[in-house]
Amino acid sequence: DAGVIQSPRHEVTEMGQEVTLRCKPISGHNSLFWYRQTMMRGLELLIYFNNNVPIDDSGMPEDRFSAKMPNASFSTLKIQPSEPRDSAVYFCASSKGQGAYEQYFGPGTRLTVT
Amino acid sequence: AQSVTQPDIHITVSEGASLELRCNYSYGATPYLFWYVQSPGQGLQLLLKYFSGDTLVQGIKGFEAEFKRSQSSFNLRKPSVHWSDAAEYFCAVGGVPGTYKYIFGTGTRLKVLA
């Protein structure tokens, strides 16, 4: 069974540009999580969905960030406009449900904003 | 509030030596506990998990962890470390009531000397 798939794996863009990160969760998983990892702040939860509905977006840093999950097999995280401080590795993870289920992580997207 | 503490930021061991990585948690009920490993440039991979029952759990790659309620700890151990174990290790608590969130520790970076 394929794991969590993320694209692109690397993204380099200029400040002010729009960036879209994509995620395909594991089939049958109904919870999806977006994380950001930096050296300074570690692993931060940005937003999570359950059954395609955003449950908690309190970790989204500001209005420049938005996330959607139009169906059970696809989610996007968009940054518009991007800034150098958004440079990080962005992970998507999925799980079967609440709490007791382990999360499976994708390989991440390394974003560099110049 | 729930929290996870990994007191050791960096640990260095010689290949073949034993390893113990510490994890302490603060949680009001029986937690769901996880250890993840992250190799350079990779996503997080689940090593093992504790939900209930036997407090000593076995994981992949020869790792084990012991849940000690009295000490609020879930330490990760391996009897003989291999060079390929060099990575960053994250402890996490799940099952936060009313949410799907995990609480991750800040990670311990393991260096293995040949």
Side-chain angles (χ1 to χ4, degrees), chain A:
Chain A
D1 189 17
V4 175
I5 299 173
Q6 291 187 247
S7 65
R9 292 294 310 276
H10 301 274
E11 177 79 42
V12 180
T13 191
E14 292 183 347
M15 182 174 61
Q17 296 299 306
E18 177 180 294
V19 175
T20 299
L21 311 182
R22 296 173 177 80
C23 175
K24 176 179 170 56
I26 293 173
S27 177
H29 285 192
N30 63 1
S31 295
L32 183 139
F33 307 79
W34 282 101
Y35 292 89
R36 179 172 67 176
Q37 186 179 41
T38 61
M39 290 292 292
M40 292 297 296
R41 301 175 68 91
L43 196 63
E44 302 173 275
L45 177 64
L46 301 178
I47 185 171
Y48 68 90
F49 296 82
N50 182 245
N51 292 325
N52 312 336
V53 176
I55 302 299
D56 185 346
D57 65 355
S58 60
M60 297 285 262
E62 47 196 279
D63 292 345
R64 297 185 297 107
F65 286 70
S66 63
K68 294 182 179 180
M69 192 165 186
N71 57 62
S73 59
F74 184 65
S75 177
T76 59
L77 178 68
K78 185 176 294 186
I79 308 172
Q80 166 63 17
S82 58
E83 297 183 2
R85 59 193 169 121
D86 302 331
S87 298
V89 181
Y90 291 81
F91 289 104
C92 176
S94 69
S95 75
K96 288 184 180 179
Q98 185 175 359
Y101 295 98
E102 56 268 35
Q103 296 184 11
Y104 292 85
F105 283 75
T109 295
R110 181 173 295 277
L111 173 65
T112 303
V113 183
T114 61

Side-chain angles (χ1 to χ4, degrees), chain B residues 6-73:
Chain B
Q6 293 181 247
D8 303 306
I9 298 175
H10 297 279
I11 282 186
T12 300
V13 300
S14 298
E15 191 170 19
S18 63
L19 172 70
E20 183 168 27
L21 303 182
R22 296 184 289 165
C23 173
N24 293 98
Y25 64 89
S26 172
Y27 194 76
T30 301
Y32 303 120
L33 295 161
F34 308 85
W35 274 100
Y36 284 83
V37 60
Q38 184 180 27
S39 298
Q42 304 295 317
L44 279 70
Q45 180 185 19
L46 180 69
L47 279 177
L48 47 77
K49 62 188 178 185
Y50 171 78
F51 290 168
S52 64
D54 192 347
T55 56
L56 183 64
V57 293
Q58 303 296 319
I60 62 171
K61 305 185 180 187
F63 285 91
E64 66 178 25
E66 186 171 13
F67 169 59
K68 293 186 178 180
R69 184 188 303 275
S70 62
Q71 298 177 18
S72 297
S73 70

